[in-house]
Amino acid sequence: MSLIKVLDTTLRDGEQAPGCSMNLKEKLEVVKCLERMHVDVIEAGFPVASQGDFEAVSAIASAVTECRVCALSRCVTSDIDATWKALKNASSPRIHLFLATSPIHMQYKLQMTPAEVLERAKKMVAYARKHFGDVEFSCEDATRSDREFLLSVVQGAIDSGASVIDLPDTVGYATPWEVEEMFRYVLGNVRGASDVTFAAHCHNDLGLATANTLAAIHSGATQVECTINGLGERAGNTSLEEVVMSLLTRKDLHQVDCRVDSTMIYRASQTVYNIIGQKPPMTKPIVGRNAFVHEAGVHQHGMLANASTYQIMTPESVGIRDNGLVLGKHSGRHAFEEYLKELGYRLTPELVQLCFEQFKALCDRKKVVNDADLRAIVTHNKVTEVTAPLEGGYELVRFVVYTSNFTSATSTVCLKKGKEKMEQVALGDGPIDAAFKAIDNIVKPKEHTFDIYTINSISEGKDTLGDVMVKLRTDGHSYTGRGLSTDIIEASLLAYLSALNQLIAAEPL
Ligand code: KIV
Ligand code: ZN
């Protein structure tokens, strides 16, 4: 059985999608999940995209111990040099070069002739080999490229030292049988195919990314490029969870192995959704709320007789547990820590203590505290500064809001900075607007835009925790704040303050 390697590009192709940007702390949290899941390669970013991207790639390169770290680069020497600088501390670095090979991209985007593209590909792969032992070369928009030209570029890249050849369906245009034919043609005609890895990188514009990826495997591709939850440009990339579970569930058909520990899938999915402040669509395969729910009577009857009647994989196989929380307000810290370990979290003693205190407080406010609540508490404390304001930042002391459907809302907010307490009142278009304006009257922040404001409920029930995410932007930098509370106004204020504290710390007024 051949081994299918998984390259996860959540932090590069996924993160470049609108609404999916992550700060370094958040990226490192995703990295931990990917390492524990045993993906083979983590694509950490595009170092020349921004200084922040460069720093994130360097930090990830230094942090990762369990797998290969790769970064994207255009076929220009300055990109390659920068990518080397960003990756030089990685234990197994890889550069991922890309250059478009389709007529439309060459003519309108690159303004290069096919001969120039071929020359550039060969030259830049050879240049990259001076620094890197492992060079991946992607023929961008391969599925819309002329087959013979594609073959000549692939041959040139292999002859110049590429170790991985990727044939992406960049615009999600191809069908599974076209992908299968393309891989069969290239693998069957290129010299040295057995010495390199062939990769599939499919976008999901027509909902075919997973099918196209499986088709590529069928024709000999042994690396799949995907993202957690299928994040990515436009309709996204191939979802890691779909491909991995398809390979495992239909091993009889695919006859391949992969190293991914599928029981980490749910945890990784929840972490990424928590970070971007979204919930999975209800019917999302593998990780959606209904993915393992059987509602129809006839289905339930079949399930009771034998689960395999309507269930092709078990929730446990992707890490979804029975929600049998046995902890309550009388549980001790030790039992709490053990339970977090069962959920897959290994936290520092300080973080355990912080989460424990919040868990106890939540038990007083909410009838049933479940795994989703615990995951939200842990993720918040790991990823954000919600409950530990930045040194010298503003803290929420108390707030009051009056709101109705016939007058403006009014809010009074009291904040603390060091020992000093400050209070302001503001009117607004609704309670959140009024409370945010009261905060602005105290903080007087630099002008900024609100990129994102989302409220999600963590679990069912009226007393659910509200999970608020706020993203502010000023001078090209974005600042993410998170707030978690059974009171959505409190959660909103905590999220806004957290983002403002970061904005202020970055640029003192
Ligand atoms: O979709 C694509 O073609 C890409 C390349 C940069 C590999 O993301
Ligand atoms: Zn892509």
Side-chain angles (χ1 to χ4, degrees):
M1 282 206 198
S2 50
L3 181 72
I4 302 298
K5 292 187 206 111
V6 174
L7 177 150
D8 181 276
T9 184
T10 307
L11 299 176
R12 198 278 294 170
D13 218 334
E15 205 254 351
Q16 76 195 36
C20 297
S21 62
M22 301 178 203
N23 62 34
L24 178 59
K25 227 172 167 185
E26 293 166 336
K27 287 182 182 176
L28 290 171
E29 203 50 46
V30 175
V31 162
K32 269 192 226 150
C33 288
L34 295 172
E35 276 190 292
R36 291 188 61 193
M37 204 195 281
H38 304 313
V39 303
D40 298 276
V41 188
I42 295 175
E43 184 158 52
F46 187 11
V48 299
S50 68
Q51 183 61 21
D53 259 52
F54 180 92
E55 284 161 15
V57 173
S58 303
I60 294 168
S62 305
V64 167
T65 51
E66 303 293 318
C67 53
R68 202 166 272 279
V69 180
C70 139
L72 189 69
S73 164
R74 289 172 301 182
C75 276
V76 290
T77 53
S78 51
D79 271 32
I80 297 172
D81 294 340
T83 305
W84 173 241
K85 268 199 202 142
L87 282 180
K88 64 180 189 301
N89 291 329
S91 50
S92 308
R94 171 187 292 177
I95 188 167
H96 180 181
L97 294 173
F98 72 103
L99 190 59
T101 50
S102 66
I104 189 162
H105 276 231
M106 289 191 289
Q107 183 179 349
Y108 294 104
K109 188 180 77 172
L110 298 176
Q111 293 174 345
M112 288 167 80
T113 64
E116 287 168 338
V117 165
L118 175 59
E119 257 331 283
R120 174 79 69 86
K122 291 199 276 197
K123 240 177 155 168
M124 290 303 109
V125 171
Y127 184 82
R129 278 304 306 266
K130 290 189 185 150
H131 295 307
F132 292 91
D134 187 4
V135 176
E136 171 164 344
F137 181 81
S138 279
C139 302
E140 193 187 9
D141 207 15
T143 49
R144 292 194 298 171
S145 303
D146 171 77
R147 291 289 181 266
E148 276 180 34
F149 178 63
L150 182 66
L151 183 65
S152 65
V153 176
V154 170
Q155 191 67 68
I158 293 177
D159 294 345
S160 306
S163 39
V164 182
I165 297 291
D166 176 33
L167 303 179
D169 185 27
T170 303
V171 290
Y173 175 75
T175 60
W177 40 99
E178 284 171 313
V179 170
E180 200 175 328
E181 175 277 320
M182 175 180 74
F183 274 87
R184 189 171 306 126
Y185 172 74
V186 173
L187 267 92
N189 289 289
V190 78
R191 290 185 308 281
S194 56
D195 300 331
V196 297
T197 298
F198 280 86
H201 176 117
C202 301
H203 282 262
N204 205 27
D205 299 65
L206 293 171
L208 291 171
T210 298
N212 284 339
T213 300
L214 295 176
I217 291 175
H218 203 231
S219 282
T222 52
Q223 176 175 293
V224 292
E225 305 197 349
C226 34
T227 59
I228 305 289
N229 301 329
L231 295 192
E233 288 279 2
R234 308 181 307 278
N237 284 64
T238 310
S239 316
L240 179 144
E241 56 277 9
E242 291 177 17
V243 172
V244 167
M245 288 318 289
S246 179
L247 293 181
L248 295 179
T249 308
R250 297 304 316 275
K251 206 167 184 165
D252 58 317
L253 180 81
H254 301 299
Q255 296 284 318
V256 294
D257 270 328
C258 93
R259 272 197 283 259
V260 168
D261 173 359
S262 67
T263 62
M264 285 299 297
I265 283 179
Y266 190 65
R267 155 98 194 268
S269 166
Q270 293 279 303
T271 301
V272 170
Y273 275 127
N274 256 322
I275 287 173
I276 62 168
Q278 302 289 331
K279 286 199 124 186
M282 213 159 53
T283 52
K284 179 128 181 59
I286 325 288
V287 294
R289 204 181 76 194
N290 285 1
F292 292 95
V293 174
H294 304 271
E295 185 74 32
V298 66
H299 287 203
Q300 288 173 346
H301 179 73
M303 285 286 294
L304 287 173
N306 181 334
S308 318
T309 48
Y310 285 100
Q311 188 169 268
I312 57 167
M313 55 196 157
T314 63
E316 293 75 23
S317 65
V318 297
I320 300 176
R321 302 152 23 96
D322 247 6
N323 205 6
L325 192 73
V326 284
L327 296 174
K329 63 195 283 181
H330 301 297
S331 307
R333 190 181 171 289
H334 182 68
F336 179 78
E337 186 169 1
E338 286 307 306
Y339 194 78
L340 288 185
K341 282 189 192 148
E342 271 181 49
L343 286 180
Y345 296 108
R346 293 182 215 134
L347 308 183
T348 59
E350 295 75 28
L351 258 184
V352 172
Q353 185 58 31
L354 191 57
C355 293
F356 182 58
E357 284 162 16
Q358 291 172 6
F359 164 72
K360 287 280 187 165
L362 187 60
C363 288
D364 284 332
R365 294 175 87 170
K366 193 169 180 286
K367 257 195 251 139
V368 182
V369 178
N370 62 22
D371 286 0
D373 296 318
L374 277 191
R375 285 184 201 281
I377 290 176
V378 172
T379 305
H380 268 253
N381 287 322
K382 286 177 85 174
V383 169
T384 73
E385 310 290 339
V386 178
T387 49
L390 294 174
E391 195 76 19
Y394 290 91
E395 274 180 78
L396 179 65
V397 179
R398 61 177 175 267
F399 69 92
V400 181
V401 180
Y402 294 105
T403 190
S404 73
N405 61 357
F406 61 93
T407 55
S408 297
T410 319
S411 177
T412 306
V413 176
C414 177
L415 302 181
K416 192 169 90 177
K417 191 174 185 199
K419 289 204 165 76
E420 193 190 351
K421 282 191 183 163
M422 294 146 273
E423 194 165 89
Q424 281 286 340
V425 186
L427 290 177
D429 184 10
I432 306 283
D433 187 43
F436 282 12
K437 278 185 178 143
I439 288 185
D440 286 348
N441 288 345
I442 297 170
V443 174
K444 299 192 174 53
K446 201 176 154 103
E447 200 149 311
H448 56 266
T449 55
F450 255 89
D451 278 7
I452 296 179
Y453 170 76
T454 58
I455 307 181
N456 277 319
S457 61
I458 294 296
S459 52
E460 288 84 26
K462 282 185 288 186
D463 59 355
T464 178
L465 275 173
D467 174 14
V468 175
M469 183 172 90
V470 166
K471 254 186 205 204
L472 308 178
R473 178 174 292 273
T474 179
D475 298 335
H477 293 280
S478 75
Y479 304 92
T480 308
R482 307 290 298 259
L484 190 64
S485 171
T486 47
D487 178 325
I488 54 165
I489 296 176
E490 183 176 36
S492 303
L493 296 187
L494 290 170
Y496 186 46
L497 262 186
S498 164
L500 279 181
N501 278 334
Q502 293 168 54
L503 186 150
I504 294 164
E507 295 176 57
L509 294 170

